[in-house]
Amino acid sequence: MRTGSEPATARSALRARFWLSVWGLVWAVFGTAAFALTGRPGWAAACGVLWLIITIDLAVILRHIRQGPHYQPGPDVPPYRPPDARTRTGPPGSPTHGPGRPRGPGHA
């Protein structure tokens, strides 16, 4: 069911991201070494940059995994509740935000 809040409440499969990043890291290290040994410095540098990006991504993934079930939900963690459209229709601080928002004629 789509709630319209997916970008704000989306969760990713961090363990899958971790193993895919490890796979990419192995290939980036291999590519860097192979291209450096065959005398292709441009390709070796490109693989080295990719290696750096993957390493940073792995650090972020591991940080999120260590932060607990908010970032790594399991079967016992319920999904986020969808936002209540009746109480939040405008940006925070606007007159249409929150439970005290003005209602149209004929609404109690």
Side-chain angles (χ1 to χ4, degrees):
M1 174 177 103
R2 289 186 50 89
T3 63
S5 65
E6 282 77 10
T9 60
R11 300 181 190 186
S12 67
L14 292 175
R15 287 183 188 99
R17 280 182 59 196
F18 171 77
W19 288 111
L20 287 171
S21 291
V22 168
W23 180 250
L25 184 69
V26 168
W27 279 105
V29 170
F30 173 76
T32 303
F35 285 124
L37 291 174
T38 58
R40 301 279 189 133
W43 284 104
C47 287
V49 169
L50 188 59
W51 182 359
L52 177 66
I53 292 169
I54 293 170
T55 302
I56 293 169
D57 186 45
L58 270 172
V60 170
I61 292 168
L62 287 173
R63 178 176 172 259
H64 285 177
I65 287 173
R66 288 184 184 134
Q67 285 180 333
H70 178 72
Y71 289 98
Q72 183 60 31
D76 57 332
V77 178
Y80 289 109
R81 288 186 38 195
D84 188 3
R86 293 173 293 173
T87 61
R88 187 172 181 192
T89 59
S94 72
T96 60
H97 185 272
R101 74 173 209 261
R103 296 187 177 257
H107 289 61

